[in-house]
Amino acid sequence: MKLLGISGSLIGEKTAIAVNEVLKRARELEPKLEIELVDMKDYEVEFVIGKPLEAYNEDTQTVINKIKEADLFVIGTPIYQASITGALKNLFDHLPTNVFESKVVGTVTTAGSEKHFLVADNQLKPILSFFKAITPTNVFVHSSCFDQSNVIVDEEVNNRIDTLAKELVNLHTKLNL
């Protein structure tokens, strides 16, 4: 069972840190769980122009294949201009429409404004619904929830991360009995 985390940010660390927290806590609940974080800033995923996957660069193929091979997911994005990142949307545009079908996909969003807490529900979940994903709790992490070392110190956020980790493991287990 492989849980793949995706950080849809090309700059900064907060989104990757938040996604990685969910990964680690899920593995604490299920030690057999294989976890991996795909941090988009570590890959040069090409812009979609309608070519077959084999015609894109190695990084693009690697990321898409990691997604195809995973069993469940945590997808994170910072919120810029009241929307998900272009890098994450571009990644979605590369994916086959059945890639998340009947798979559990949790979401994490980070932002510097409390006004952005609904972006996951209004933009990210409809995209994941198109892919036929099962979407449990979203975790919103405001910039103020991190300390100066980028550790999540807000107790409520840490509780929501725990809840998301439990939901991911439990839902996946129930769906695959």
Side-chain angles (χ1 to χ4, degrees):
M1 180 166 63
K2 181 164 188 174
L3 170 58
L4 184 68
I6 301 168
S7 174
S9 178
L10 297 180
I11 60 169
E13 300 175 3
K14 288 180 173 67
T15 302
I17 289 168
V19 169
N20 202 42
E21 279 300 312
V22 178
L23 297 177
K24 291 188 304 187
R25 294 181 200 189
R27 187 170 51 198
E28 288 172 8
L29 294 167
E30 178 51 68
K32 296 177 190 171
L33 190 62
E34 180 186 345
I35 61 172
E36 181 178 358
L37 175 66
V38 170
D39 192 339
M40 293 297 290
K41 70 179 173 224
D42 296 333
Y43 296 90
E44 291 187 29
V45 174
E46 290 183 277
F47 194 75
V48 172
I49 57 171
K51 302 184 288 189
L53 180 60
E54 302 77 38
Y56 289 95
N57 68 17
E58 186 176 339
D59 277 358
T60 303
Q61 292 180 48
T62 297
V63 171
I64 300 308
N65 286 326
K66 285 177 185 286
I67 293 169
K68 287 179 176 180
E69 295 165 4
D71 300 300
L72 64 162
F73 304 85
V74 179
I75 297 176
T77 183
I79 306 304
Y80 301 141
Q81 308 295 2
S83 186
I84 66 173
T85 65
L88 184 58
K89 177 60 172 90
N90 183 58
L91 179 62
F92 287 147
D93 289 344
H94 276 287
L95 298 175
T97 58
N98 66 345
V99 72
F100 298 128
E101 187 170 354
S102 300
K103 293 184 180 181
V104 182
V105 182
T107 57
V108 175
T109 53
T110 58
S113 169
E114 295 287 347
K115 296 176 183 176
H116 294 318
F117 78 96
L118 287 176
V119 171
D121 287 336
N122 293 329
Q123 293 181 19
L124 195 50
K125 284 193 177 185
I127 293 168
L128 294 171
S129 177
F130 168 79
F131 285 111
K132 299 175 185 72
I134 298 164
T135 56
T137 303
N138 170 58
V139 175
F140 174 77
V141 189
H142 187 274
S143 305
S144 66
C145 298
F146 292 88
D147 68 10
Q148 291 181 349
S149 300
N150 280 336
V151 174
I152 299 171
V153 294
D154 185 277
E155 185 177 342
E156 183 180 335
V157 169
N158 278 308
N159 288 339
R160 287 196 313 251
I161 288 172
D162 287 337
T163 298
L164 177 55
K166 288 175 192 169
E167 288 178 357
L168 287 167
V169 172
N170 290 339
L171 282 170
H172 177 77
T173 301
K174 288 177 182 176
L175 288 168
N176 291 284
L177 287 177

